Amino acid sequence: MRIVLGVTGGIAAYKAAHVLRGLRERGHAVRVVPTEAALRFVGAPTWEALSGEPVSTTVFEGVENVEHVRIGHEADLVVVAPATADLLARARAGMADDLLTATLLTATCPVVVAPAMHTEMWFNAATVDNVATLRARGWTVIEPASGRLTGADTGPGRLPEPDDIIQAALAATGRSAAPDSADASTVTPVAPADDSRTDESRADGALSGASVIVSAGGTREPLDPVRFLGNRSSGKQGAALAAAAATAGARVTLIAANVDSDVLASLPAGVDIEHVSTTAELEAACTAHASSADVIVMAAAVSDYRPAAAAQHKMKKTGDDLTIALVENPDILRGLVELRDAGRTRTGQLLVGFAAETGSHDTSAESLAQAKLLRKGCDLLVFNDVSGDRAFGHDDNAVVVYRAGADGAEEVARSEGSKAHVSNDVIAAVAAERSR
Ligand SMILES: Cc1cc2nc3c(=O)[nH]c(=O)nc-3n(C[C@H](O)[C@H](O)[C@H](O)COP(=O)(O)O)c2cc1C
């Protein structure tokens, strides 16, 4: 591939040399386009020696080749690492006041940027807005890492490791981070109908850099200090989805509602876990994450009702029948849809609901799920038929994934097998929906 590596004027500019080297080692031709400020941190000879190509910061050099248009036109991928707050602002505004921004304006290939800056700059409303706009235009903006910054301070804003940047960048073109030889395997973001490949390889890289929230398990509504209203969800499917999303390159938070520790022990390192118990706690956790999530997968089984009041002390037998008043719980998925539609969440956020239905004598479980998708207003709905003791607690599952199309619910995937296998297919459907 022909890759443009943009380097801007941040303290992490030296790390771009490792990104450059890693891309070259994988067989790619790399043209480095630094900004003037970047050259104050790392000089042109470093970029020229490591890339074997000339370096310029301005549109007024190499004019005979119309470089300010040609470089972008010929690129198969543009990576900017590190990307300053200033670069994000200039790119968002469509400026072309140096060779890098002109290249970004003329590139029609995937663009992947790795911002690095102080935490305050990263969380500044202008930067948040610029990032959201660039993402909405189709750019991949890799979330910065947390850690030591320029001075003694720490926090989100650090440039991710060069290998992670390379992986995310190549994934944006549908390639793995393997060498770019003729027989190097390419990774398709959407799961193909090829069962000879492993579950992991099918999902690998498809959600690189995305922030994914998965809820799992089942909520419990206290009746008294020892009893609760609950459901039979084990959390296995949600945990498998979190693992699949992490394998696909996402930063994953699992909001676990009463999930056994042995189920959580199967999660890959790096998946954050937040424990909740009641529907109100689950709602609060989901809402807290809503503003920064690219994808929210609501796999937890939520209690529709809760006791109007939980008894302070353990309830005793009275010899009479007992009637418990229930009040309706908030509709968490509907609430997330409303937040998103009000523009209070990340632009382009994808909401995935789950419907565990049994159907009835006159309505099929599938048609109930399709109706739920349209009623809730989410983007995708994963349906599983739970009649006859299926799904709950088992290691296998069978699902149908619907998307909300112009003419109603459209089937986009069908998957059956282990919960890990099903999860990879669901995550592939999520990645496909994100790139529509
Ligand atoms: C020591 C030093 C470190 C800097 N580090 C960063 C940084 O990490 N991120 C950032 O956005 N700006 C940083 N800046 C500010 C940028 O260099 C400045 O905004 C510059 O105009 C960016 O130009 P460019 O976007 O054209 O490269 C730093 C400045 C100095 C002096």
Side-chain angles (χ1 to χ4, degrees):
M1 272 200 302
R2 174 130 207 94
I3 300 176
V4 171
L5 175 60
V7 183
T8 64
I11 199 81
Y14 70 96
K15 287 194 187 170
H18 296 284
V19 176
L20 168 56
R21 194 161 244 160
L23 291 171
R24 296 270 289 147
E25 279 167 0
R26 287 166 175 79
H28 303 291
V30 185
R31 168 81 191 246
V32 180
V33 182
T35 60
E36 275 296 318
L39 294 187
R40 299 179 73 140
F41 291 86
V42 181
T46 300
W47 306 121
E48 287 179 341
L50 290 179
S51 70
E53 301 209 17
V55 159
S56 170
T57 60
T58 163
V59 295
F60 297 109
E61 279 174 19
V63 176
E64 67 281 11
N65 297 322
V66 201
E67 295 278 67
H68 72 289
V69 176
R70 191 183 60 84
I71 296 175
H73 270 177
E74 290 180 358
D76 299 307
L77 168 69
V78 178
V79 187
V80 185
T84 53
D86 175 70
L87 183 278
L88 298 175
R90 288 191 291 133
R92 186 253 169 95
M95 292 177 72
D97 54 351
D98 61 8
L99 189 57
L100 178 56
T101 44
T103 299
L104 287 166
L105 271 186
T106 52
T108 51
C109 58
V111 175
V112 177
V113 297
M117 62 197 72
H118 263 83
T119 306
E120 292 77 8
M121 292 173 96
W122 176 243
F123 284 127
N124 183 283
T127 307
V128 170
D129 204 34
N130 293 335
V131 168
T133 302
L134 293 171
R135 280 187 170 136
R137 289 179 193 160
W139 284 21
T140 300
V141 181
I142 304 173
E143 208 73 16
S146 259
R148 182 91 188 266
L149 302 170
T150 308
D153 42 353
T154 60
R158 207 176 136 83
L159 189 72
E161 290 309 309
D163 276 350
D164 294 339
I165 295 172
I166 292 170
Q167 203 152 5
L170 297 181
T173 66
R175 286 166 189 258
S176 73
D180 194 29
S181 59
D183 61 352
S185 62
T186 56
V187 176
T188 313
V190 181
D194 175 3
D195 276 333
S196 64
R197 301 172 74 178
T198 65
D199 283 334
E200 286 75 15
S201 71
R202 278 185 292 155
D204 193 16
L207 290 179
S208 273
S211 164
V212 174
I213 307 300
V214 181
S215 72
T219 58
R220 292 179 180 176
E221 309 297 341
L223 286 158
D224 68 16
V226 295
R227 304 182 181 93
F228 57 81
L229 268 183
N231 60 67
R232 298 171 57 204
S233 176
S234 63
K236 285 182 180 175
Q237 184 66 74
L241 282 159
T247 301
R251 284 168 295 98
V252 183
T253 300
L254 180 73
I255 304 176
N258 309 297
V259 179
D260 281 353
S261 53
D262 57 337
V263 174
L264 297 177
S266 66
L267 287 168
V271 173
D272 289 334
I273 303 170
E274 276 183 36
H275 294 276
V276 296
S277 185
T278 65
T279 302
E281 288 167 9
L282 178 62
E283 183 190 35
C286 291
T287 308
H289 284 285
S291 63
S292 58
D294 295 304
V295 178
I296 303 182
V297 182
M298 291 297 294
V302 176
S303 178
D304 290 336
Y305 290 90
R306 67 180 185 280
Q312 294 277 336
H313 304 287
K314 186 178 170 195
M315 292 189 288
K316 301 283 183 231
K317 277 186 183 172
T318 61
D320 287 328
D321 290 346
L322 175 66
T323 303
I324 297 171
L326 300 177
V327 293
E328 204 168 311
N329 266 329
D331 184 332
I332 301 177
L333 183 55
R334 184 71 219 144
L336 291 172
V337 169
E338 283 167 8
L339 274 181
R340 189 203 43 198
D341 292 351
R344 292 171 57 199
T345 59
R346 194 165 264 189
T347 312
Q349 183 179 83
L350 196 87
L351 294 169
V352 185
F354 265 68
E357 302 286 354
T358 60
S360 61
H361 61 284
D362 58 353
T363 318
S364 72
E366 286 209 3
S367 60
L368 286 174
Q370 291 169 4
K372 181 172 178 178
L373 169 68
L374 304 177
R375 192 173 69 245
K376 298 273 185 178
C378 53
D379 304 291
L380 293 177
L381 188 114
V382 182
F383 156 66
N384 62 345
D385 189 339
V386 290
S387 53
D389 197 28
R390 282 145 78 173
F392 288 126
H394 297 294
D395 292 327
D396 289 348
N397 203 359
V399 305
V400 185
V401 184
Y402 297 102
R403 72 180 295 270
D407 300 322
E410 291 170 6
E411 181 179 322
V412 289
R414 216 167 246 271
S415 181
E416 184 164 6
S418 71
K419 285 184 174 172
H421 172 87
V422 165
S423 296
N424 274 295
D425 287 344
V426 170
I427 291 301
V430 167
E433 187 66 19
R434 262 166 62 80
S435 50
R436 279 177 81 92

